[in-house]
Amino acid sequence: MTAFTATVTVRLKRGVLDPEAETTQRQLERLGFDLDDLRSADRFEIDLDADGADEAAERAEEMAERLLANPTIHDYDVEVAERE
Amino acid sequence: MVTVTIAVIQFGGSNCDRDSVRALETLGFDAELVWHEDGLPDDVDGIMLPGGFSYGDYLRAGAMAARSPIMEEVREAAADGTPVLGVCNGAQIGCESSLTPGVFTTNESARFQCEHVHLRVENADTPWTRHYEEGDVVELPIAHGEGRYEITDERLDELEAEDRIIFKYCDAEGNVTPEANPNGSKHAVAGVTGDSDHVAVMMPHPERASLDDLGRTDGKPVLQGFAD
């Protein structure tokens, strides 16, 4: 078994309104920053032991499917790295 | 009168559970609070998922409660024909648990909104709306930060074609306008049915408009749906 950290990033699908991101963008603009767009995302870092990176990714994907993301409005991706 | 027993499911953070019981009892139902860890009693004739902030709205409103063991039982009961009504947080739980389509997410305003709204009855041929006429305008309170109905355009067109939308936000005259839509819901959807119309969810609170002492009672007919 190897120790991995699977990072699951959950973001709204393109086209789905994100009022919090819009509010954040407006506030940045109010502070004088110049930006075209701002998107927010949730990131989950999951420490787990697995036989290999593929298995670690598979388990993290299942976690995203079952709970972390809602497929109606979210896309997600999974990155796996060995943990020291 | 035959006794109709309604289970009102309590999760950690439910806060409209006792209001729901009182409203249901006023209408003559035998309403009982059921703590989610105790499981669903065998003899219930209906299930209400009440409002609140189950699990602190962590992750997404309703996401945690939707995956609790009792919701497996609720889904099975619903599949067997038991009426299920989800209100506010109960509506979010219903959508998160796939009892009903779509999702209720952050209001367009990004704020919690507590106000009275008008709703137009879109389909009066469901247990929850059959005491209204199609096109009736009813006034109910909302109290939510995540009530914006979101779903793909294709799926929403299907739901419209299947008459699955039961309430839409409207103005006092029944016009569905952007100004009368309090939270930016797609197609102004305030309530929707599941695969069968004995399962429905809605963000406005019928149980908060069901007691004569509190003035408006526009919500009574929704709860009477449990009797049919």
Side-chain angles (χ1 to χ4, degrees), chain A residues 7-78:
Chain A
T7 302
V8 179
T9 306
V10 178
R11 53 176 66 82
L12 287 170
K13 286 180 174 166
R14 282 293 182 141
V16 175
L17 184 71
D18 187 345
E20 291 180 1
E22 284 183 6
T23 304
T24 307
Q25 177 173 348
R26 274 203 304 279
Q27 198 66 3
L28 284 171
E29 286 165 345
R30 208 168 282 147
L31 289 170
F33 292 102
D34 183 24
L35 63 162
D36 292 333
D37 196 13
L38 178 150
R39 293 172 294 282
S40 64
D42 290 325
R43 188 169 91 157
F44 302 89
E45 297 174 359
I46 303 159
D47 292 345
L48 70 176
D49 294 332
D51 285 335
D54 287 349
E55 187 205 313
E58 206 171 285
R59 281 166 54 195
E61 275 166 25
E62 197 183 344
M63 294 179 205
E65 294 279 336
R66 296 274 302 276
L67 177 64
L68 302 178
N70 182 321
T72 303
I73 50 171
H74 291 136
D75 287 325
Y76 68 89
D77 57 56
V78 175

Side-chain angles (χ1 to χ4, degrees), chain B residues 150-228:
Chain B
E150 187 62 64
I151 192 167
T152 62
D153 293 337
E154 300 74 35
R155 191 79 187 96
L156 188 48
D157 289 342
E158 288 171 14
L159 298 179
E160 292 271 19
E162 294 164 6
D163 266 340
R164 303 257 305 262
I165 313 302
I166 52 174
F167 290 113
K168 283 189 179 180
Y169 298 107
C170 65
D171 65 18
E173 281 74 46
N175 304 302
V176 175
T177 64
E179 295 74 31
N181 185 339
N183 53 26
S185 286
K186 264 193 184 172
H187 288 204
V189 171
V192 62
T193 65
D195 290 338
S196 298
D197 63 13
H198 66 278
V199 176
V201 298
M202 58 191 292
M203 288 307 299
H205 287 273
E207 83 285 3
R208 292 192 190 179
S210 295
L211 301 178
D212 294 330
D213 295 348
L214 295 181
R216 296 200 73 96
T217 55
D218 289 12
K220 268 186 186 179
V222 175
L223 302 180
Q224 279 163 347
F226 280 115
D228 307 319

Side-chain angles (χ1 to χ4, degrees), chain B residues 84-213:
Chain B
V84 179
L85 177 67
V87 169
C88 197
N89 189 224
Q92 296 159 338
I93 294 168
C95 282
E96 275 285 341
S97 64
S98 301
L99 275 170
T100 45
V103 57
F104 292 101
T105 187
T106 314
N107 291 348
E108 191 172 19
S109 65
R111 291 181 183 179
F112 188 90
Q113 288 173 249
C114 190
E115 59 200 70
H116 278 252
V117 297
H118 292 97
L119 305 171
R120 191 176 72 190
V121 178
E122 298 294 307
N123 175 3
D125 192 23
T126 76
W128 318 105
T129 51
R130 70 175 46 134
H131 299 284
Y132 303 112
E133 301 286 334
E134 189 173 317
D136 275 0
V137 177
V138 300
E139 188 183 321
L140 293 180
I142 56 167
H144 60 242
E146 299 181 42
R148 175 171 57 94
Y149 191 66
E150 187 62 64
I151 192 167
T152 62
D153 293 337
E154 300 74 35
R155 191 79 187 96
L156 188 48
D157 289 342
E158 288 171 14
L159 298 179
E160 292 271 19
E162 294 164 6
D163 266 340
R164 303 257 305 262
I165 313 302
I166 52 174
F167 290 113
K168 283 189 179 180
Y169 298 107
C170 65
D171 65 18
E173 281 74 46
N175 304 302
V176 175
T177 64
E179 295 74 31
N181 185 339
N183 53 26
S185 286
K186 264 193 184 172
H187 288 204
V189 171
V192 62
T193 65
D195 290 338
S196 298
D197 63 13
H198 66 278
V199 176
V201 298
M202 58 191 292
M203 288 307 299
H205 287 273
E207 83 285 3
R208 292 192 190 179
S210 295
L211 301 178
D212 294 330
D213 295 348

